[in-house]
Amino acid sequence: MNSNEIYNLLKSFFPDAVIDYKDDKPVEPYIIVSAKEIDKICLFLRDEENLQFDYLSCLSSVDYDNDNLAAVYNLYSFVHNHKLNIKVIVPKSDPVIKTVSSVWNTANWHEREAYDLMGIIFDEHPDFRRILLPDDWEGYPLRKDYKVQEFYNGMKVPY
Amino acid sequence: MFDYLTSLLGDLNIIAYFIVPVPALLFVSIFTLFAVLAERKISAYMQDRYGPNRTGKGILQTVADMAKLIQKEFISPSHADRWLFELAPFIVFASVFMGYAVIPFATVYVGTDLNLGLFYFFAITSLSVIGILIAGWASHNKYTLIGAMRSAAQIVSYEIPAVLSALTVVMFAGTLSMQSIVVAQSGGIHNWYVFGGPGDVSRILMIPFMAASCLIFFIATLAETNRTPFDIPEGESEIVAGFNLEYSGMKFAFFFFAEYSQMFAVAAVLSTLFLGGWQSPFGNLIPVLNTPLFQIFWFLLKGLLIVYVQMWLRWTLPRLRVDQLMTMCWKYLIPITLIIVLIVGFYLVIR
Amino acid sequence: MAELKTETITLNMGPQHPSTHGVLRLELVLDGEIVLEVKPVIGYLHRCFEKHAEAMTYPQVVPYVDRMDYLASMNNELGYAVAVERLCGIKIPEKVEYIRVIMAELNRIASHLVALGTYGLDAGAFTPFLYCFIDREKILEIFEITCGARLLYNYIWVGGLSHDITPNFKEKVLEFVKVFRPRIKELNDLLSFNKIFIERTANVGVLPPEVAINAGTSGPTLRGSGVNFDLRKNDPYSIYDRFDFKVIVGNGEMGTVGDSWDRYMVRVWEMEESCKIIEQAIELMPAEGNVQEAVPKRIKPPVGEIYARTETPRGELGFYIISDGTNYPVRVKARGPAFCNLSALPLMSKGCMIADLVVILGSIDIVLGEIDR
């Protein structure tokens, strides 16, 4: 199934959660989904007969330089050998997305990394803390407007 | 040697007590010196590389190591139990060295020819377990504690197959005295206990059992000295050197001293029991080879050959996990040795 | 009789440890020898690769990509180059494609040799490590002749290569393959089929296939569990569809499907398959061609984004690149295979012992550079 058909199928099941479908080449097509319903949609994508997206390849966090953050999910299905990209766009002032780690175990660490570096908060995550940076680091480095902190535990940070 | 010295010194017998251990101590020191170097060179050639070859073409490497270790700082962990921490290496080394008292190097030199020689040897070398436990506990470190526990379990378990396989030889020889066991194997290579000992042709039946007994003794004593494949207590890759983790400098050197001395001690006991000790393999055919000088030569040759096999195994085989080690001892080695003892007993009764 | 009160120890296999293949910290909760819980703590090697990449132009990112998985640099560069070339629509000359494949497969063999050697070291066998490194030395010599570096190459650029191959390249590579095949057999005799090694690794760390797919594992870790999935066959990139090779899948020969021995053996036989690919590539490679002709003067991809994945020795390396039309990328996200494989460690090691934990960790084959980026 290609992305257009999947979009239509999803739209029929979740009319208000599925927001948009972008397909301008050479962009790889992606489906924009709402932040609060993402886990139900992902469960549907994993378990539905024709779709069966059982593999989460990658979960990236993006900072569009216009007060919006996004999380991008790249999915793949072993059974049917098709791919899908899903995006969730949230405002910087309230970056809350429902976690999908109950659907795919991969998401556990990927979401921790997205939180650590970009500051996206994932609701109901089983083990929600920073992963790469020290636990008491301030700020989210990958954001475009990130300012390095002056001192960390008494050590001067910018050199 | 002791009797000779007492007859010489007359009333000053007490000095003899101090002179007799000296050759053994000298031998142990020189042996360790060269054994460390030999291990590094042998392992290097097996791994397709050169070993140490810079310090005096490699021979003086251990001297350099010793010099380095002597001048190292004595670091002891702040929470360690001071006295026990200092004491542990000495207990381990002393118990191993005391075992050398009964090993016959030649007809003229045996520390003391106890008529319980073999029994004394096993009893005394078991004391090293105490030293290891003290080392592990006194270092006040979780890793060392785990290492010491494993080591204690391992050494205590493997005592049993070792003693049982030595028992087969004792049944043949009828005595526990090491010197007498060697004397009983005189007359050439066909009289050694690994081939069934002196006696008539029917002893050919015993060859597989005695050979198996020799092999089991070898494996069990390998486990006692904590060598690979049984070196879980010093498992380098997992718990980083185990019970001797917190030791540095001379005390660390003592643990190694003790390990190499024990290697030779068990090799010597194996060659005494099964391979004829200081007996020449040619027996009475070439009488000059039976003089004391050559006896020491044969003894050293056999002992060093077994040490070489121990080193060879270390660099070839991976190590066993703790529960597999224990399974092998209790479920395989002990039943097999019990059966062998039974069979040897039957044979001796029938003969 | 009253219940004996026991306590659990919390042990820290700290960042400095001979067996944790890099600066990885494992927090263990132990009950005697049995491990109740494992929590990996990473981040000790974080070098802010993704933030740096946003300040560099596309060709300048290549040395950074090298240093992610430093044991298989050619494969990382190939993944990045494939991603950017797909985004820009650059067509690569034939000769370049063949050389890229040969380099990637040679690096796959080198990386697997390190994995197998250190795995033997973890299990206590000291000698296979040195035997593996003798062969690896020959591969590194070939790399040094071609591009001047032994470990971090900066060789596969977007659109081509940095240097052409030397005239004696073909003979050297064929000679290496000829000498290497019997060495695999020697390694098998020494380590793989050794009874003690089998007892240490078989039935240890079993990963069922559904759990493996759900946890996002890939590469030999996934194939060891019986899942037949190799990106070079299922989602071909570059010219891999022209070569004839098998995908090695674990089959539970010595224990259960998905145990550490299976994962280890997949790597051993993969080295053999890489030899096959190299021989075929050397034969089909065109002799003429300029390796620099398709390298663009300035890389300005059109506005868009792409997720491209390639198969490195550790699994699926994915690059998610967003471009906004300038010559600086907006976002470069690297999905390291070892990151996902390591997150499956707590699922594999329920109820094992400390010695088993070291063996399981060695069979996953992690490189911290790729986990922490």
Side-chain angles (χ1 to χ4, degrees):
Chain A
M1 289 176 85
N2 66 13
S3 304
N4 212 345
E5 297 165 10
I6 301 179
Y7 171 67
N8 292 331
L9 186 62
L10 268 181
K11 192 89 179 148
S12 59
F13 274 91
F14 298 92
D16 29 313
V18 178
I19 298 177
D20 206 352
Y21 173 67
K22 288 278 200 291
D23 189 7
D24 346 306
K25 296 273 186 309
V27 178
E28 278 187 348
Y30 58 88
I31 305 180
I32 304 186
V33 167
S34 97
K36 298 284 184 282
E37 311 274 317
I38 180 80
D39 59 333
K40 294 207 209 34
I41 295 182
C42 286
L43 200 58
F44 174 77
L45 284 171
R46 188 188 75 174
D47 294 333
E48 167 69 18
E49 207 42 61
N50 300 333
L51 301 178
Q52 286 200 338
F53 283 103
D54 46 6
Y55 194 70
L56 174 67
S57 274
C58 186
L59 199 169
S60 331
S61 53
V62 189
D63 180 356
Y64 295 112
D65 214 354
N66 54 1
D67 285 336
N68 274 340
L69 300 176
V72 182
Y73 299 74
N74 302 98
L75 307 173
Y76 174 71
S77 162
F78 274 82
V79 182
H80 296 293
N81 197 12
H82 52 202
K83 299 190 221 181
L84 183 66
N85 302 333
I86 298 194
K87 257 197 214 194
V88 175
I89 302 189
V90 284
K92 251 189 204 168
S93 50
D94 179 31
V96 180
I97 306 183
K98 205 82 189 308
T99 183
V100 296
S101 48
S102 48
V103 180
W104 298 291
N105 226 317
T106 330
N108 196 324
W109 276 26
H110 281 250
E111 285 176 355
R112 277 176 67 187
E113 188 191 335
Y115 164 63
D116 190 4
L117 295 176
M118 197 64 89
I120 302 179
I121 302 189
F122 290 90
D123 253 344
E124 288 172 33
H125 191 274
D127 187 13
F128 196 58
R129 50 195 170 104
R130 285 188 184 265
I131 189 170
L132 291 175
L133 298 173
D135 282 328
D136 49 355
W137 193 264
E138 292 157 18
Y140 302 108
L142 222 44
R143 290 197 182 177
K144 299 284 183 190
D145 55 357
Y146 171 69
K147 282 272 168 298
V148 162
Q149 63 196 57
E150 272 293 314
F151 283 94
Y152 172 68
N153 280 350
M155 301 179 279
K156 193 159 180 341
V157 177
Y159 58 91
Chain B
M1 189 175 180
F2 187 66
D3 308 319
Y4 176 67
L5 281 175
T6 39
S7 61
L8 202 61
L9 292 168
D11 281 332
L12 297 169
N13 279 355
I14 199 86
I15 302 186
Y17 285 109
F18 288 96
I19 301 184
V20 170
V22 166
L25 191 60
L26 263 178
F27 173 74
V28 165
S29 323
I30 300 181
F31 170 75
T32 311
L33 215 65
F34 283 106
V36 173
L37 175 70
E39 168 132 40
R40 289 168 75 167
K41 276 287 206 189
I42 292 174
S43 68
Y45 279 107
M46 284 186 210
Q47 293 168 353
D48 208 3
R49 58 185 174 98
Y50 300 117
N53 59 355
R54 296 282 156 173
T55 47
K57 293 284 179 275
I59 298 186
L60 298 178
Q61 179 65 41
T62 323
V63 176
D65 282 339
M66 283 291 136
K68 175 197 81 167
L69 283 171
I70 289 177
Q71 51 95 33
K72 269 204 187 230
E73 181 188 349
F74 283 167
I75 306 177
S76 52
S78 54
H79 287 289
D81 195 322
R82 194 72 206 295
W83 286 115
L84 290 179
F85 188 73
E86 311 271 331
L87 197 58
F90 299 111
I91 296 183
V92 177
F93 180 69
S95 75
V96 169
F97 184 63
M98 285 202 275
Y100 273 86
V102 286
I103 297 182
F105 282 68
T107 25
V108 297
Y109 184 72
V110 58
T112 164
D113 190 16
L114 290 178
N115 49 5
L116 283 180
L118 198 59
F119 183 68
Y120 164 84
F121 179 79
F122 281 118
I124 279 288
T125 48
S126 326
L127 284 182
S128 62
V129 180
I130 299 186
I132 294 178
L133 275 174
I134 294 179
W137 175 257
S139 306
H140 199 86
N141 183 336
K142 283 176 209 161
Y143 283 131
T144 59
L145 193 59
I146 297 178
M149 297 287 187
R150 285 169 165 178
S151 177
Q154 179 184 318
I155 294 184
V156 165
S157 318
Y158 275 88
E159 285 282 337
I160 303 179
V163 169
L164 283 177
S165 36
L167 198 60
T168 54
V169 172
V170 171
M171 286 203 288
F172 265 102
T175 164
L176 280 170
S177 150
M178 306 266 264
Q179 189 74 289
S180 325
I181 294 180
V182 178
V183 168
Q185 294 179 66
S186 63
I189 191 169
H190 53 278
N191 276 342
W192 292 354
Y193 278 125
V194 74
F195 297 119
D200 50 5
V201 188
S202 65
R203 66 164 189 252
I204 293 187
L205 288 172
M206 280 292 115
I207 293 185
F209 299 106
M210 290 309 279
S213 187
C214 176
L215 194 63
I216 294 179
F217 186 80
F218 179 67
I219 297 175
T221 48
L222 202 64
E224 289 212 18
T225 50
N226 289 339
R227 299 281 293 179
T228 326
F230 305 106
D231 70 345
I232 276 280
E234 353 172 307
E236 271 161 42
S237 338
E238 300 153 24
I239 48 177
V240 202
F243 62 84
N244 49 13
L245 176 67
E246 297 279 354
Y247 285 92
S248 62
M250 224 30 227
K251 300 196 216 90
F252 182 68
F254 257 101
F255 275 117
F256 266 71
F257 228 26
E259 176 171 330
Y260 283 96
S261 323
Q262 197 173 6
M263 262 169 69
F264 187 79
V266 301
V269 171
L270 191 143
S271 70
T272 307
L273 290 177
F274 290 96
L275 299 178
W278 43 255
Q279 297 278 5
S280 121
F282 300 106
N284 295 324
L285 290 176
I286 310 176
V288 71
L289 292 177
N290 281 341
T291 51
L293 195 61
F294 274 100
Q295 284 169 356
I296 297 187
F297 167 72
W298 291 120
F299 175 75
L300 287 182
L301 181 68
K302 292 170 198 174
L304 292 177
L305 211 64
I306 310 262
V307 168
Y308 173 72
V309 176
Q310 286 176 337
M311 289 182 182
W312 189 4
L313 279 181
R314 177 181 183 184
W315 296 102
T316 313
L317 298 174
R319 76 168 68 92
L320 284 174
R321 206 175 61 200
V322 136
D323 64 325
Q324 290 162 350
L325 224 140
M326 289 298 163
T327 314
M328 187 166 114
C329 175
W330 292 93
K331 288 197 191 166
Y332 296 105
L333 289 186
I334 292 186
I336 296 179
T337 39
L338 284 174
I339 294 175
I340 293 182
V341 166
L342 213 62
I343 294 179
V344 169
F346 272 135
Y347 170 75
L348 284 173
V349 164
I350 294 176
R351 183 162 84 166
Chain C
M1 186 162 162
E3 267 290 329
L4 198 63
K5 179 168 172 310
T6 52
E7 268 182 22
T8 55
I9 317 180
T10 312
L11 193 63
N12 191 21
M13 267 174 89
Q16 299 149 310
H17 190 103
S19 293
T20 52
H21 296 274
V23 276
L24 169 69
R25 187 169 134 219
L26 292 174
E27 289 178 356
L28 311 170
V29 176
L30 298 174
D31 175 19
E33 279 271 334
I34 312 265
V35 171
L36 296 174
E37 219 182 287
V38 175
K39 279 214 278 251
V41 176
I42 57 177
Y44 290 91
L45 197 54
H46 181 64
R47 292 159 292 173
C48 324
F49 154 69
E50 295 169 3
K51 188 82 180 174
H52 275 301
E54 293 173 14
M56 308 271 146
T57 59
Y58 286 90
Q60 285 179 324
V61 176
V62 176
Y64 283 91
V65 166
D66 261 344
R67 281 148 176 79
M68 273 185 358
D69 175 4
Y70 37 79
L71 290 176
S73 304
M74 290 288 189
N75 289 288
N76 291 7
E77 294 173 12
L78 183 58
Y80 179 72
V82 161
V84 178
E85 284 155 13
R86 242 184 239 176
L87 190 57
C88 300
I90 305 177
K91 182 88 178 48
I92 314 291
E94 284 286 305
K95 185 173 179 200
V96 169
E97 296 267 36
Y98 279 100
I99 300 178
R100 278 183 179 181
V101 164
I102 296 174
M103 291 303 190
E105 293 304 317
L106 277 175
N107 214 329
R108 190 181 306 267
I109 297 179
S111 169
H112 280 326
L113 283 171
V114 176
L116 302 175
T118 49
Y119 195 45
L121 212 55
D122 287 341
F126 303 102
T127 314
F129 175 70
L130 284 137
Y131 285 4
C132 289
F133 267 64
I134 295 176
D135 299 313
R136 185 164 180 258
E137 195 57 35
K138 302 189 186 114
I139 300 183
L140 294 186
E141 206 187 299
I142 297 178
F143 284 147
E144 194 183 359
I145 294 178
T146 317
C147 60
R150 281 162 57 95
L151 197 67
L152 302 167
Y153 313 110
N154 193 7
Y155 182 65
I156 300 186
W157 287 356
V158 178
L161 306 169
S162 70
H163 296 85
D164 200 350
I165 52 173
T166 51
N168 61 351
F169 181 75
K170 274 195 185 177
E171 296 107 61
K172 276 201 101 69
V173 173
L174 283 176
E175 187 192 317
F176 165 73
V177 172
K178 200 165 69 123
V179 167
F180 183 60
R181 279 221 165 95
R183 302 279 295 184
I184 301 183
K185 178 165 180 325
E186 204 177 286
L187 179 68
N188 277 344
D189 287 335
L190 182 60
L191 190 63
S192 321
F193 296 109
N194 182 326
K195 187 77 178 45
I196 300 181
F197 184 73
I198 293 177
E199 276 199 38
R200 276 307 286 280
T201 52
N203 289 324
V204 163
V206 179
L207 184 66
E210 313 80 42
V211 177
I213 296 180
N214 197 297
T217 52
S218 49
T221 314
L222 183 62
R223 291 199 280 280
S225 295
V227 178
N228 188 332
F229 182 71
D230 185 332
L231 277 169
R232 294 173 291 171
K233 281 240 185 279
N234 293 53
D235 198 358
Y237 53 95
S238 184
I239 47 165
Y240 273 103
D241 39 4
R242 297 187 206 175
F243 299 113
D244 169 40
F245 60 99
K246 270 194 328 206
V247 173
I248 313 288
V249 171
N251 53 7
E253 205 179 307
M254 293 287 169
T256 18
V257 176
D259 57 17
S260 303
W261 195 85
D262 275 336
R263 292 192 278 272
Y264 163 83
M265 228 30 212
V266 164
R267 292 197 178 95
V268 172
W269 296 129
E270 262 186 19
M271 291 201 296
E272 171 73 43
E273 299 299 317
S274 291
C275 285
K276 273 195 217 158
I277 299 180
I278 294 176
E279 283 175 341
Q280 291 168 35
I282 290 268
E283 220 181 281
L284 298 171
M285 181 164 81
E288 302 299 317
N290 181 2
V291 300
Q292 291 258 326
E293 68 185 348
V295 177
K297 282 272 180 325
R298 188 172 296 193
I299 301 189
K300 261 196 183 188
V303 176
E305 56 192 55
I306 186 171
Y307 177 69
R309 42 192 200 156
T310 55
E311 177 92 11
T312 60
R314 273 156 198 87
E316 168 190 328
L317 174 69
F319 276 100
Y320 178 67
I321 304 182
I322 305 184
S323 131
D324 61 350
T326 62
N327 43 1
Y328 296 91
V330 169
R331 175 86 166 99
V332 175
K333 155 102 174 135
R335 181 256 196 220
F339 186 74
C340 304
N341 291 353
L342 186 60
S343 65
L345 180 66
L347 303 166
M348 282 194 241
S349 51
K350 292 204 154 54
C352 69
M353 296 192 242
I354 306 184
D356 289 337
L357 191 66
V358 171
V359 159
I360 300 174
L361 194 60
S363 74
I364 306 181
D365 187 21
I366 51 171
V367 169
L368 262 296
E370 168 166 81
I371 299 181
D372 290 343
R373 280 158 275 134

